[in-house]
């Protein structure tokens, strides 16, 4: 069972890396970032916050609290407890799930609440969650849960299947939200304490930003159900829950222009002191690459943490090895996470701006997939993220240029990866 679940968790990335003709021919393969200032105001300034809103089309919310939930051993129980506490509504949009104990637990929790009269709406990505288990889907529907699948295969337009919802959004009673990059599978059910237990992070959110998360869920729910969830049960009045200033950044490239990549680029260009990137799938496009080199030239400390030998996408390290060698030569610190697959997504700029959520630093997240990130402006929250990052660094190794030289087979694989990198 464990081996089956690990294989299923690996399938998605290998599937897309094998898309040659479809990937190269599809009209949504590449895109262009929005125009971003070359030298934006620092992340601590009101001008930076205004520029973020211009790019994302979202407003900043005040008075939020965000709890960091590292690894499935923490976030799975927290999410289950929140589901079981629901009194009126539950909405869940999820990319990847594999029939496993976490899936069973979530299914039973949703069914129990639905039988208690809670309105439950579930939106699965048609590809990423195709291993959820038919018996679980049938049981949820039998309990009155509205379960939909996003972007299924259509013979008359197969290229649409390339467009996925990569979001992870859970909203409970319109008051409690969860965001991040994790799915449900054996790999996420643990403490990142072995090769088959992944390192990942989710976040529990309270305050006015929860309404933005509910609207983010509606973005795709309206597309499949033809009408949004609405009313006071889904959008109750939200009061101050903390001191954090935050914004939900909705990535919906099929409907609008890019927001995920452009907001990443803005943050990198705004850096004055430090850029910390800890990302599972780091395959940046040229503007992001240039922004990192420019940041280093102007004296910004830049460090990058990526997966090591334990990765569900071996095409990624072979594709980026030449770039990482150039980063190291330029003085950028590059590390590999060693114990297991590192699936987290975290950027911290100048110890003040934190970027969390589902969006990867790659062209698929910028121009193809639907994503949802959260920007947080808070030195206290950034310190918390950096403390978590330091623990990850303690389990990583610093790479030298020589570590990234590849034998011919891997070099050839990397050439293929760079050819189709807009699909990875």
């Amino acid at each position: 069972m464990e081996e089956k679940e690990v294989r299923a968790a690996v399938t998605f990335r290998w599937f897309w890396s094998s898309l040659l003709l479809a990937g190269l021919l599809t009209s949504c393969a590449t895109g262009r970032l929005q125009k971003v200032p070359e030298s934006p105001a620092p992340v601590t300034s009101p001008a930076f916050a205004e520029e973020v809103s211009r790019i994302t089309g979202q407003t900043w919310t005040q008075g939020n609290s965000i709890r960091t939930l590292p690894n499935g051993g923490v976030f799975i129980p927290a999410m289950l407890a929140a589901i079981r506490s629901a009194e009126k509504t539950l909405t869940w949009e999820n990319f990847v799930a594999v029939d496993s104990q976490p899936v069973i637990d979530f299914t039973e929790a949703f069914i129990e609440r639905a039988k208690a009269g809670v309105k439950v709406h579930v939106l699965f990505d048609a590809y990423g969650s195709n291993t959820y288990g038919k018996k679980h889907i049938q049981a949820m529907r039998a309990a009155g849960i509205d379960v939909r699948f996003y972007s299924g295969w259509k013979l008359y337009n197969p290229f649409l299947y390339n467009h996925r919802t990569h979001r992870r959004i859970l909203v409970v009673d319109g008051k409690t939200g969860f965001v991040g990059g994790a799915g449900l599978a054996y790999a996420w059910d643990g403490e990142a304490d072995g090769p088959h237990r992944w390192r990942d992070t989710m976040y529990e959110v309270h305050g006015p930003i929860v309404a933005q998360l509910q609207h983010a869920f509606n973005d795709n729910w309206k597309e499949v159900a033809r009408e949004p969830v609405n009313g006071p049960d889904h959008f109750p009045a939200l009061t101050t829950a903390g001191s954090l200033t935050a914004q939900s950044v909705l990535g919906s490239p099929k409907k609008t222009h890019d927001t995920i990549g452009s907001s990443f680029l803005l943050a990198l260009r705004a850096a004055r002191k430090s850029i910390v990137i800890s990302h599972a799938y780091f395959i940046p496009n040229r503007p992001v690459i240039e922004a990192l080199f420019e940041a280093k030239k102007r004296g910004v400390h830049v460090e990058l943490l990526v997966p090591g030998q334990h990765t569900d996408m071996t095409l990624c390290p072979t594709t980026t090895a030449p770039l990482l060698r150039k980063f190291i030569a330029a003085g950028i610190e590059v590390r590999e996470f060693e114990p297991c697959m590192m699936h987290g997504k975290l950027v911290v700029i100048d110890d003040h701006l934190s970027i969390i959520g589902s969006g990867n630093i790659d062209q698929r997240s910028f121009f193809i997939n639907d994503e949802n990130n959260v920007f947080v402006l808070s030195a206290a929250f950034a310190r918390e993220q950096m403390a978590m990052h330091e623990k990850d660094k303690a389990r990583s190794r610093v790479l030298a240029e020589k570590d990234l030289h590849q034998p011919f087979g891997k070099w050839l694989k990397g050439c293929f990866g760079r050819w189709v990198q807009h699909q990875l």
Side-chain angles (χ1 to χ4, degrees):
M1 183 65 171
E2 294 180 4
E3 183 180 353
K4 177 183 176 182
E5 290 177 3
V6 171
R7 285 201 306 269
V10 166
T11 299
F12 173 72
R13 286 285 171 173
W14 274 111
F15 174 83
W16 290 119
S17 65
S18 68
L19 284 179
L20 176 58
L21 291 179
L24 293 175
L25 295 176
T26 180
S27 61
C28 64
T30 59
R32 180 175 294 180
L33 299 179
Q34 295 184 58
K35 187 175 181 180
V36 175
E38 293 289 338
S39 300
V43 297
T44 54
S45 68
F48 173 81
E50 291 173 5
E51 188 64 21
V52 171
S53 290
R54 183 193 68 79
I55 287 173
T56 64
Q58 299 275 15
T59 59
W60 290 93
T61 62
Q62 313 292 327
N64 302 290
S65 69
I66 303 178
R67 183 162 70 109
T68 304
L69 306 171
N71 297 319
V74 177
F75 65 70
I76 289 177
M79 294 173 76
L80 284 171
I83 293 169
R84 290 166 180 154
S85 74
E87 297 178 349
K88 296 180 179 180
T89 62
L90 286 162
T91 54
W92 185 36
E93 181 172 359
N94 186 65
F95 168 60
V96 63
V98 181
D99 193 353
S100 57
Q101 191 59 49
V103 162
I104 294 170
D105 292 342
F106 268 60
T107 300
E108 291 177 349
F110 281 122
I111 289 173
E112 188 277 328
R113 287 290 81 202
K115 289 182 176 179
V118 174
K119 292 176 284 187
V120 185
H121 298 80
V122 175
L123 179 60
F124 290 124
D125 182 77
Y127 180 79
S129 291
N130 69 353
T131 52
Y132 192 89
K134 285 186 178 180
K135 60 183 178 182
H136 305 313
I137 301 298
Q138 291 169 352
M140 285 196 289
R141 286 175 169 162
I145 296 173
D146 195 346
V147 181
R148 309 287 179 120
F149 283 85
Y150 185 78
S151 192
W153 174 262
K154 294 179 174 60
L155 185 61
Y156 62 86
N157 193 348
F159 290 139
L160 282 178
Y161 198 62
N162 194 34
H163 174 75
R164 311 262 40 102
T165 177
H166 194 246
R167 298 170 186 156
R168 282 85 161 176
I169 300 170
L170 172 66
V171 180
V172 180
D173 289 334
K175 298 177 181 179
T176 300
F178 290 85
V179 293
L184 288 183
Y186 171 83
W188 277 286
D189 187 14
E191 296 292 348
D193 51 5
H196 302 305
R197 291 292 204 275
W198 289 8
R199 169 73 187 93
D200 214 337
T201 308
M202 292 289 287
Y203 297 86
E204 181 179 343
V205 180
H206 296 267
I209 194 175
V210 176
Q212 292 188 341
L213 300 181
Q214 193 74 287
H215 283 298
F217 172 84
N218 262 338
D219 179 61
N220 282 334
W221 185 258
K222 287 186 295 185
E223 193 173 333
V224 298
R226 305 306 179 197
E227 61 180 8
V229 298
N230 52 37
D233 289 349
H234 287 98
F235 291 95
L238 296 172
T239 58
T240 297
S243 60
L244 299 181
T245 299
Q247 178 183 136
S248 171
V249 178
L250 186 69
S252 190
K254 189 177 74 170
K255 303 182 186 77
T256 60
H257 47 61
D258 161 77
T259 55
I260 298 295
S262 301
S263 57
F264 272 133
L265 180 61
L266 175 69
L268 298 177
R269 287 180 175 176
R272 300 294 195 270
K273 299 184 298 183
S274 61
I275 296 173
V276 174
I277 299 173
S278 179
H279 260 251
Y281 310 109
F282 181 77
I283 314 176
N285 61 355
R286 184 173 296 278
V288 171
I289 292 170
E290 292 175 350
L292 289 168
F293 280 122
E294 288 299 319
K296 185 61 185 177
K297 287 179 183 177
R298 63 178 183 267
V300 175
H301 171 73
V302 183
E303 60 181 78
L304 172 66
L305 177 62
V306 295
Q309 64 172 323
H310 301 294
T311 175
D312 68 328
M313 184 184 172
T314 57
L315 196 56
C316 183
T318 57
T319 298
T320 59
L323 171 62
L324 298 186
R325 287 201 303 270
K326 293 178 181 178
F327 279 173
I328 293 168
I332 293 174
E333 179 183 301
V334 180
R335 289 176 174 266
E336 279 187 346
F337 189 73
E338 293 189 302
C340 60
M341 170 63 182
M342 193 279 292
H343 193 259
K345 305 159 203 315
L346 173 68
V347 175
V348 180
I349 306 292
D350 290 350
D351 297 321
H352 187 77
L353 167 68
S354 301
I355 305 175
I356 58 178
S358 69
N360 297 309
I361 301 180
D362 62 22
Q363 293 183 81
R364 172 165 284 279
S365 283
F366 295 177
F367 306 121
I368 300 175
N369 287 347
D370 288 342
E371 306 281 4
N372 196 79
N373 280 349
V374 172
F375 274 42
V376 185
L377 293 172
S378 165
F381 185 78
R383 281 195 298 271
E384 183 180 343
Q385 304 315 299
M386 287 301 300
M388 180 175 65
H389 176 67
E390 289 299 322
K391 291 180 180 179
D392 290 339
K393 284 175 63 175
R395 305 173 73 193
S396 68
R397 69 178 184 118
V398 178
L399 294 181
E401 288 184 70
K402 61 181 178 62
D403 296 322
L404 293 162
H405 290 290
Q406 300 175 316
F408 179 75
K410 286 189 175 180
W411 174 85
L412 193 62
K413 188 176 180 180
C415 289
F416 170 77
R418 289 185 287 280
W419 189 26
V420 295
Q421 64 180 295
H422 52 271
Q423 291 291 330
L424 300 182

